[in-house]
Amino acid sequence: TQSTWGRKFSGSEVCVCFFVCALPYLLAPFPLKMRIAFFNTKKYDERSFKKTAQRMNAEDELSFTFLEPSLNPLTAPLAADHDAVCVFVNDNVDAETVKILADRGIKMIALRCAGFNNVDLAATKEHGIQVLRVPAYSPYGVAEHAVALLLTLNRKTHRAYNRVRENNFSLDGLIGSDIHGKTVGIVGTGRIGLCFAAIMKGFGCRLLAYDVYQSEEAKSLGVEYVDIDRIWRESDIISLHAPLTPQTKHIVNEESLHKMKSNAILINTSRGALLDTNAVVKALKSKIIAGLGIDVYEQEEDVFFVDHSSEPLQDDTLSRLLTFSNVLVTGHQAFFTHEAIDKIAETTITNCLDVLHNRPSQNVVEPPK
């Protein structure tokens, strides 16, 4: 073989050179093209990921299979012949599911969401599966949706909308309160909590917050950090923006509800299990709080993201919640903006490319120590 410099190489030298050049690819956990099985996908997911992959010139390195079923032990075998799975917030990635995925050669779980409480990280560590997430997509969208729930509950615009469509222009039962001057308690001052605080500052509210980590940015907005007991006792409006951990599960419970003002409006756009839903139902029946707005629900995986309009709702607790005129429920749509969907696709694709090329990533979810 003749090189460009004129020197001839022996056959053994060519083989050694080829082996050295190919070694990184031979040792890589993935082939040159990563095959990804998407679970729990909707048409908007498919459109967004295809469009974003094309814009990022990633089509030659990633291939997508879009599956409608949610991921669980029964559907996990569908991931066969793929290298990675992409899952959403309500997929069941427990130890049994992880083992089935590992047995079928899955090396990566890509979360197209921020939360990872649905993933058994001890199991993924045991089976050598990497987990990456989308830590932030549109904090503004979620915070704005929390405000939308608050304003709707306070001014009863949902009830007014239905009335006027029947030519009923009576104002009886529609009175609300000024948001200006009210005390707002914010539980969790991460990206979304900060956005919510900034919006409520614009309304002229007094801002209280509780978080394990105090944010200097929050303090610059005029937020006063207090203990959780003061949040319950002093707030006219309480908005939850905390992650779900063993410490925050059912942080709103029978005890904390009884500490709240009778005019308090409670908003949750974070994780459903932050609320003890049965305790909240009792509080609403007893008029302990004035209203509830939720975009998340503790048992939502069996209900949300699916059209149940032609069948009875099997969840009795959620059915009971929907009977209250001062309760507003949306189906986990707070994140659902054009900007967020595009950001989720972009970050997820970047995560997959980082793993494919063995690049470090800040979005790796570390297993428990």
Side-chain angles (χ1 to χ4, degrees):
T1 302
Q2 183 98 10
S3 77
T4 55
W5 292 282
R7 181 189 165 205
K8 292 185 177 180
F9 294 94
S10 67
S12 60
E13 287 177 314
V14 171
C15 290
V16 169
C17 181
F18 175 81
F19 180 77
V20 170
C21 293
L23 186 60
Y25 299 98
L26 294 173
L27 296 178
F30 297 98
L32 294 180
K33 190 168 188 174
M34 182 188 288
R35 301 161 299 176
I36 308 167
F38 284 70
F39 284 84
N40 200 6
T41 55
K42 304 294 185 283
K43 290 298 183 183
Y44 52 79
D45 293 312
E46 185 172 347
R47 287 193 298 267
S48 178
F49 273 88
K50 285 181 176 179
K51 179 186 70 174
T52 305
Q54 184 178 33
R55 176 173 57 82
M56 296 175 65
N57 297 317
E59 294 173 300
D60 293 335
E61 298 179 283
L62 306 176
S63 68
F64 304 147
T65 301
F66 295 99
L67 305 170
E68 289 187 16
S70 299
L71 179 62
N72 56 54
L74 294 177
T75 60
L78 294 173
D81 300 322
H82 291 82
D83 309 297
V85 295
C86 184
V87 302
F88 196 47
V89 64
N90 287 332
D91 287 300
N92 176 13
V93 197
D94 61 9
E96 184 181 358
T97 302
V98 170
K99 184 181 185 305
I100 295 170
L101 294 176
D103 290 343
R104 282 154 180 79
I106 297 300
K107 294 291 191 292
M108 175 192 181
I109 296 173
L111 300 167
R112 54 182 191 275
C113 54
F116 49 87
N117 55 282
N118 58 326
V119 181
D120 190 321
L121 295 176
T124 59
K125 179 181 180 180
E126 177 185 349
H127 293 285
I129 297 177
Q130 297 186 71
V131 180
L132 286 85
R133 67 180 183 127
V134 183
Y137 23 95
S138 179
Y140 305 102
V142 179
E144 290 164 7
H145 191 80
V147 176
L149 292 173
L150 167 63
L151 294 178
T152 302
L153 281 169
N154 178 46
R155 299 307 300 267
K156 304 174 179 60
T157 49
H158 56 312
R159 297 173 64 186
Y161 172 81
N162 289 325
R163 281 191 187 187
V164 298
R165 289 175 66 84
E166 297 178 355
N167 298 328
N168 179 357
F169 297 92
S170 167
L171 300 183
D172 290 341
L174 299 182
I175 193 167
S177 300
D178 289 355
I179 298 294
H180 179 85
K182 295 296 186 291
T183 297
V184 177
I186 304 167
V187 180
T189 52
R191 292 183 179 92
I192 297 171
L194 283 173
C195 290
F196 183 81
I199 296 171
M200 299 315 295
K201 180 183 179 181
F203 276 91
C205 295
R206 174 191 177 214
L207 304 177
L208 303 180
Y210 171 80
D211 200 311
V212 177
Y213 305 101
Q214 297 189 7
S215 163
E216 293 303 317
E217 185 177 349
K219 292 178 182 178
S220 71
L221 291 170
V223 170
E224 177 188 356
Y225 280 96
V226 298
D227 60 60
I228 195 67
D229 196 62
R230 284 187 60 189
I231 295 288
W232 308 140
R233 294 185 185 281
E234 298 182 25
S235 301
D236 303 295
I237 298 157
I238 299 171
S239 192
L240 306 180
H241 301 285
L244 179 60
T245 66
Q247 293 71 36
T248 61
K249 183 176 181 180
H250 290 179
I251 193 170
V252 174
N253 50 50
E254 186 172 0
E255 181 182 357
S256 57
L257 285 161
H258 278 275
K259 295 176 182 178
M260 295 180 190
K261 292 183 175 182
S262 59
N263 68 327
I265 293 178
L266 177 62
I267 305 294
N268 185 16
T269 54
S270 185
R271 288 291 178 266
L274 296 180
L275 302 183
D276 180 341
T277 312
N278 290 323
V280 172
V281 168
K282 291 179 182 178
L284 289 163
K285 288 174 63 177
S286 303
K287 298 183 180 180
I288 291 173
I289 59 174
L292 172 72
I294 57 174
D295 184 59
V296 288
Y297 173 60
E298 190 169 5
Q299 307 298 330
E300 68 178 61
E301 63 272 9
D302 297 324
V303 182
F304 285 6
F305 305 111
V306 178
D307 182 359
H308 298 282
S309 58
S310 61
E311 58 192 30
L313 193 58
Q314 298 301 311
D315 189 307
D316 292 340
T317 304
L318 182 58
S319 296
R320 183 67 180 96
L321 274 178
L322 293 172
T323 65
F324 292 101
S325 62
N326 57 342
V327 170
L328 190 60
V329 178
T330 54
H332 208 134
Q333 72 177 75
F335 79 99
F336 198 48
T337 65
H338 293 292
E339 293 82 359
I341 292 298
D342 289 344
K343 184 63 175 177
I344 288 171
E346 180 181 322
T347 304
T348 303
I349 289 172
T350 299
N351 288 344
C352 292
L353 291 174
D354 285 343
V355 172
L356 177 65
H357 296 291
N358 200 28
R359 296 191 294 247
S361 172
Q362 295 181 340
N363 299 332
V364 173
V365 181
E366 298 293 346
K369 296 181 180 179

